[in-house]
Amino acid sequence: MSGENLRVFVAIDILEPNVLDQLSKIRDLLLESKADLKPVATENMHITLRFIGETPLHLVNSICNDLGKIEFEPFKIRIKGVGVFPNIARPRVIWAGVSQGVENLSKLHDIVEKILRKHGVPPQREKFIPHITLARVKSGRNISRLVKIIESIADTDFGEVLVDRIVLKRSILTPSGPIYRDICVAKARE
């Protein structure tokens, strides 16, 4: 069992019921476009602070140990805006953005990044852009209809979320979508 690798990432769960409800409604509205989308299940909605990938179990345990030592004050973020990666002409990922609290999220990301570097995890290639993935676009079917919906909901305000913990999660890939399991939690100061 010691040779096992786990597919892991560091995340901030979205636990505020009203925010989750709004995110789910917008995700369901996107599905009405009949575009070829893979929606994210409500219980899987989160902000990825850092995707790590396949990681040996012994390293997962060391990372958990160091994540538990992170000290941060609880803070609020505002989930606002709907956008796409890489761009509206070629949407691949549809997301809800963060309009307030980005600096605090970036500081947490940088702390996590330092911990991972210490453990030999290569640096993240992409710039950190905090977001919650709502759906992935799988083909070009009904893209123009999808884009119209996205443009009509671009300024949606989903509300505030308290960030008082970060979680190392395991991602188990299945044909019906990923299953996430919490491995360890680092809590903010009380």
Side-chain angles (χ1 to χ4, degrees):
M1 185 92 170
S2 63
E4 184 182 8
N5 280 349
L6 304 183
R7 181 182 165 89
V8 296
F9 62 98
V10 181
I12 293 167
D13 286 325
I14 306 302
L15 301 173
E16 177 58 49
N18 295 339
V19 173
L20 276 175
D21 187 48
Q22 293 299 325
L23 289 165
S24 299
K25 284 179 180 162
I26 290 294
R27 176 208 51 215
D28 295 346
L29 180 63
L30 295 167
L31 295 173
E32 290 177 19
S33 69
K34 302 287 188 235
D36 190 10
L37 300 178
K38 181 146 184 78
V40 173
T42 304
E43 65 272 13
N44 283 351
M45 290 184 179
H46 66 274
I47 295 171
T48 300
L49 267 183
R50 178 64 155 83
F51 179 76
I52 304 168
E54 295 291 330
T55 307
L57 193 54
H58 70 89
L59 190 53
V60 169
N61 293 331
S62 296
I63 291 169
C64 268
N65 188 37
D66 283 351
L67 288 177
K69 296 174 187 169
I70 294 175
E71 291 192 3
F72 67 100
E73 299 293 331
F75 61 93
K76 288 193 173 175
I77 59 173
R78 178 162 291 282
I79 309 299
K80 184 176 183 203
V82 176
V84 299
F85 293 136
N87 58 56
I88 201 71
R90 235 181 52 243
R92 291 286 166 259
V93 174
I94 306 166
W95 47 259
V98 177
S99 66
Q100 291 170 5
V102 174
E103 329 64 43
N104 287 328
L105 288 173
S106 293
K107 283 179 193 163
L108 268 183
H109 168 268
D110 292 346
I111 292 166
V112 169
E113 190 69 39
K114 278 188 186 127
I115 288 170
L116 295 176
R117 293 291 293 277
K118 178 181 123 181
H119 290 288
V121 176
Q124 184 168 320
R125 289 193 307 272
E126 310 83 28
K127 180 181 186 298
F128 174 63
I129 301 171
H131 65 279
I132 299 162
T133 300
L134 301 174
R136 289 182 168 73
V137 182
K138 297 176 62 149
S139 76
R141 186 179 80 211
N142 290 325
I143 285 292
S144 59
R145 195 182 302 172
L146 176 65
V147 166
K148 278 188 183 134
I149 291 174
I150 293 168
E151 288 171 342
S152 74
I153 58 176
D155 291 328
T156 303
D157 189 336
F158 298 94
E160 281 189 338
V161 172
L162 177 67
V163 176
D164 63 354
R165 63 187 58 213
I166 60 175
V167 186
L168 182 69
K169 291 183 170 287
R170 179 179 185 185
S171 172
I172 303 161
L173 301 179
T174 74
S176 57
I179 298 168
Y180 299 145
R181 298 271 184 261
D182 293 358
I183 297 174
C184 60
V185 177
K187 294 183 179 175
R189 286 189 206 108
E190 303 250 334

